[in-house]
Amino acid sequence: DTEVTQTPKHLVMGMTNKKSLKCEQHMGHRAMYWYKQKAKKPPELMFVYSYEKLSINESVPSRFSPECPNSSLLNLHLHALQPEDSALYLCASSQGRAGVRETQYFGPGTRLLVL
Amino acid sequence: GNSVTQMEGPVTLSEEAFLTINCTYTATGYPSLFWYVQYPGEGLQLLLKATKADDKGSNKGFEATYRKETTSFHLEKGSVQVSDSAVYFCALRHSYNQGGKLIFGQGTELSVKP
């Protein structure tokens, strides 16, 4: 089983709202990732958690706040977003050994629209 | 630095045609190479991978061979179907990258007509 689940599937929010995206995996993976993807572009890495600790923040604005409550869950808290933040947000996970042969498995994504 | 270059799309083929999507990379050492597929409105799915030179990855009729001498990982399929219409991303992962992050190509959109 290589399933990563994400909720919600779609989200519409205003610029003053606070919302959260959720990602879950039960593969025993210890590395989890958030990506942002604009239409017809490759995913852009935002954050990496390794063993529940934030290991990479790709200079993401503070209106995006990640959280890893346990090894199976990854959240992305959203606050005061801008319309240009509208995109597909993808979660991924991998075993967490940070080796070259690691494979990342992606979830179906949350399609976010900021009005 | 490390990078991936894919042939530009969109690529339009008729059903049962032969498919090649070119992918070349720049990296020191021996990265792992991946092809991901993204169907309309969905997330990325791992299609196939190869972790060392001369490895061939294969899945669902798709194949790609890791060629160190030409730094390439071209995706091929002998007979495409309408259901193969999607965007295909070539990617590499290198331990020298920060945290072993994935480096993606720009993606190639494939459209298969009946």
Side-chain angles (χ1 to χ4, degrees):
Chain A
D1 183 13
T2 55
E3 188 177 28
V4 176
T5 59
Q6 290 187 244
T7 54
K9 193 170 173 63
H10 300 277
L11 179 62
V12 180
M13 61 186 290
M15 288 189 283
T16 58
N17 291 158
K18 285 185 181 181
K19 297 285 185 183
S20 296
L21 310 184
K22 180 179 170 182
C23 172
E24 196 164 4
Q25 57 86 17
H26 295 288
M27 296 178 277
H29 289 174
R30 302 307 297 271
M32 296 185 78
Y33 311 76
W34 279 116
Y35 287 85
K36 173 183 178 180
Q37 186 184 27
K38 291 284 207 179
K40 304 211 173 174
K41 296 291 186 184
E44 299 171 12
L45 183 66
M46 299 174 72
F47 302 104
V48 180
Y49 272 84
S50 180
Y51 290 79
E52 294 98 69
K53 287 186 168 35
L54 183 65
S55 60
I56 295 176
N57 176 342
E58 292 281 291
S59 303
V60 179
S62 60
R63 58 186 184 268
F64 295 91
S65 175
E67 178 196 21
C68 189
N70 60 57
S71 60
S72 301
L73 276 176
L74 185 67
N75 298 320
L76 186 62
H77 303 298
L78 314 172
H79 174 54
L81 293 194
Q82 303 297 311
E84 59 264 29
D85 297 321
S86 299
L88 181 67
Y89 288 84
L90 293 163
C91 174
S93 71
S94 67
Q95 283 188 308
R97 296 181 199 149
V100 67
R101 289 176 176 74
E102 282 232 336
T103 300
Q104 289 184 28
Y105 296 94
F106 286 79
T110 292
R111 195 163 297 279
L112 174 67
L113 176 62
V114 182
L115 300 176
Chain B
N2 299 323
S3 66
V4 176
T5 302
Q6 285 182 238
M7 65 186 284
E8 287 192 23
V11 173
T12 302
L13 295 173
S14 298
E15 207 165 22
E16 298 184 2
F18 184 85
L19 169 71
T20 300
I21 300 178
N22 290 338
C23 171
T24 57
Y25 68 90
T26 301
T28 55
Y30 297 89
S32 289
L33 300 172
F34 305 85
W35 276 102
Y36 285 89
V37 59
Q38 187 170 33
Y39 297 103
E42 297 187 10
L44 269 68
Q45 296 179 26
L46 177 68
L47 183 58
L48 52 84
K49 67 179 182 180
T51 58
K52 59 184 188 295
D54 300 324
D55 263 3
K56 178 187 278 189
S58 61
N59 186 26
K60 299 181 182 178
F62 290 90
E63 292 184 341
T65 302
Y66 187 159
R67 302 275 187 210
K68 178 77 175 159
E69 63 276 13
T70 54
T71 61
S72 65
F73 193 54
H74 304 321
L75 183 68
E76 296 182 336
K77 187 176 185 183
S79 176
V80 293
Q81 305 300 313
V82 172
S83 56
D84 294 325
S85 298
V87 179
Y88 293 80
F89 291 99
C90 185
L92 73 80
R93 182 186 173 112
H94 201 305
S95 57
Y96 299 155
N97 290 352
Q98 184 187 16
K101 65 192 278 187
L102 277 174
I103 307 295
F104 286 95
Q106 286 303 302
T108 302
E109 184 177 7
L110 171 66
S111 177
V112 180
K113 307 295 185 188

